[in-house]
Amino acid sequence: MGKIRHFLLTFDVEDFINSNAIYALQRILEILQKYDLKAIFFITGLMAEKLSTHDQIIDMLKNHEVGYHSSSHSVRPIIPEFTDLKSYKKAFETSLQRETSHINPITGKAEKEGGIYILQDLFSSKKIRAFRAPGTCWTPPHLEALKSLGIKYDFSTNLTYSEPVSYKGLIFYPYTITQQWNGTTYNYECLLSSILRHKLTIFDLHPTLLVNKIEWDSIYYKGNPKKLTTVPKRPKKETQQLFKSFELLIKRINFLRKIKLIETNPSFNVPSKKLSVSRERINECYEKSMQWAINRFNYHPKFIKNHFHEFFQDAIIR
């Protein structure tokens, strides 16, 4: 990659319940357009269905890379729940079914065609090649099912912090360094430190958190709700200040681009190293990947650790 550092700005577009999340997404797109910056937008199947009636936003998204963020994010069962099967093959097949289906947000059942197919139809001129798991909580049979649907680049794992690594026909991108931006001095110190230390830095931000006080999916933490309910909105002045902080971030990223310290265009042509890992590293990867399921949903998998070791067995350092 030479001396220039790569910086990827990414967004998780997932809040299909709160209407102001649409407004937040549009404002972000307008700010990026103002400074001619490109990003990757990871969109869920349920959110893709909602966006299908917003032609202006779809047209603006076509100027960026579009990735997949699972069919239904936090609707139960979440990915670790429906892949927590003793049979790796069965977990793969279940993943394939759910990621190509519309998931009922109340019952959690797969009903009709949806998921990644909706995203592929909305952006038919693009290839949906990148994926980030909700909460970066991924499982191997699920990722391999997505690979069969065209996914090649994963943004979920903590396998690498500086440059992409390749394994089993997949490219694993570095772990994100933040999931919220408040414009503090500490935020900027983290940003600059990562850019200087790593060949590739990835930011992951959530449009809904610019306009809402808490996570939109908190209604799912104890199971599927009986009805969909919105979360408390931020005060108008607070939202305006957060957008100002975000625009200032974009201005500074644009400056770093102009002085050629960083390259910001989303590109999947970045060289990757071949993955090799120890058994201890596999365990660390598993534990990090399951934190969201355990901490948010109180779900403790039984078989997924075995899936990790089965998946990575050809990369283990002997």
Side-chain angles (χ1 to χ4, degrees), residues 57-111:
I57 291 179
I58 294 298
D59 287 342
M60 295 176 79
L61 283 167
K62 288 178 180 176
N63 295 320
H64 301 268
E65 285 288 343
V66 174
Y68 189 49
H69 197 40
S70 86
S71 58
S72 54
H73 203 280
S74 301
V75 180
R76 313 294 291 272
I78 57 173
I79 293 168
E81 290 175 317
F82 67 72
T83 59
D84 194 17
L85 305 171
K86 190 172 183 179
S87 166
Y88 193 104
K89 180 182 178 183
K90 182 63 177 176
F92 174 97
E93 292 169 349
T94 302
S95 299
L96 200 59
Q97 182 212 14
R98 293 190 67 85
E99 293 302 349
T100 55
S101 300
H102 165 82
I103 304 301
N104 185 305
I106 298 296
T107 66
K109 293 181 179 179
E111 296 181 340

Side-chain angles (χ1 to χ4, degrees), residues 177 181-195 203 244-253 256:
I177 67 165
W181 183 262
N182 296 315
T184 64
T185 300
Y186 175 74
N187 283 159
Y188 279 107
E189 288 174 350
C190 289
L191 168 64
L192 189 58
S193 173
S194 181
I195 288 173
F203 257 35
K244 285 181 181 178
S245 296
F246 174 72
E247 184 166 359
L248 184 59
L249 166 67
I250 298 304
K251 281 183 180 180
R252 291 180 174 176
I253 290 172
L256 295 177

Side-chain angles (χ1 to χ4, degrees), residues 137-152:
C137 189
W138 74 286
T139 71
H142 179 265
L143 184 58
E144 291 210 87
L146 290 177
K147 177 185 171 185
S148 73
L149 295 169
I151 295 298
K152 184 177 180 180

Side-chain angles (χ1 to χ4, degrees), residues 73-314:
H73 203 280
S74 301
V75 180
R76 313 294 291 272
I78 57 173
I79 293 168
E81 290 175 317
F82 67 72
T83 59
D84 194 17
L85 305 171
K86 190 172 183 179
S87 166
Y88 193 104
K89 180 182 178 183
K90 182 63 177 176
F92 174 97
E93 292 169 349
T94 302
S95 299
L96 200 59
Q97 182 212 14
R98 293 190 67 85
E99 293 302 349
T100 55
S101 300
H102 165 82
I103 304 301
N104 185 305
I106 298 296
T107 66
K109 293 181 179 179
E111 296 181 340
K112 57 184 179 180
E113 186 173 283
I116 197 171
Y117 287 160
I118 302 294
L119 207 58
Q120 290 170 338
D121 287 344
L122 278 180
F123 301 96
S124 56
S125 62
K126 293 179 172 289
K127 290 184 178 179
I128 308 300
R129 302 176 292 170
F131 171 72
R132 178 184 283 132
T136 61
C137 189
W138 74 286
T139 71
H142 179 265
L143 184 58
E144 291 210 87
L146 290 177
K147 177 185 171 185
S148 73
L149 295 169
I151 295 298
K152 184 177 180 180
Y153 306 98
D154 179 73
F155 286 73
S156 310
T157 78
N158 65 330
L159 287 170
T160 173
Y161 288 89
S162 185
E163 58 189 319
V165 293
S166 61
Y167 179 63
K168 285 192 173 181
L170 291 161
I171 308 295
F172 295 89
Y173 270 66
Y175 204 60
T176 182
I177 67 165
T178 186
Q179 293 195 13
Q180 258 186 299
W181 183 262
N182 296 315
T184 64
T185 300
Y186 175 74
N187 283 159
Y188 279 107
E189 288 174 350
C190 289
L191 168 64
L192 189 58
S193 173
S194 181
I195 288 173
L196 294 176
R197 287 187 295 116
H198 300 142
K199 295 180 180 179
L200 174 59
T201 293
I202 296 176
F203 257 35
D204 170 25
L205 303 176
H206 294 73
T208 185
L209 289 177
L210 293 173
V211 292
N212 292 313
K213 289 184 178 180
I214 62 174
E215 290 90 349
W216 68 274
D217 57 344
S218 57
I219 63 172
Y220 285 102
Y221 292 168
K222 294 182 179 180
N224 290 341
K226 293 182 179 179
K227 64 177 182 178
L228 301 180
T229 56
T230 58
V231 296
K233 297 179 181 179
R234 292 186 186 274
K236 187 176 180 180
K237 286 186 178 180
E238 188 176 327
T239 290
Q240 289 174 340
Q241 184 57 50
L242 285 172
F243 277 116
K244 285 181 181 178
S245 296
F246 174 72
E247 184 166 359
L248 184 59
L249 166 67
I250 298 304
K251 281 183 180 180
R252 291 180 174 176
I253 290 172
N254 197 37
F255 171 74
L256 295 177
R257 179 182 65 166
K258 286 183 176 179
I259 64 172
K260 300 187 184 302
L261 179 63
I262 60 173
E263 169 63 53
T264 60
N265 284 331
S267 172
F268 297 125
N269 297 319
V270 179
S272 60
K273 296 195 310 182
K274 187 177 180 181
L275 176 68
S276 59
V277 292
S278 65
R279 292 186 183 277
E280 291 75 20
R281 189 75 181 88
I282 295 171
N283 290 333
E284 289 173 8
C285 183
Y286 164 76
E287 290 169 5
K288 182 73 173 177
S289 299
M290 292 301 110
Q291 283 182 3
W292 187 67
I294 295 169
N295 296 339
R296 286 286 192 267
F297 300 90
N298 195 31
Y299 186 77
H300 298 262
K302 298 177 181 178
F303 303 108
I304 293 176
K305 189 173 184 179
N306 293 335
H307 294 336
F308 269 75
H309 283 275
E310 180 175 344
F311 177 74
F312 285 116
Q313 61 182 344
D314 294 333

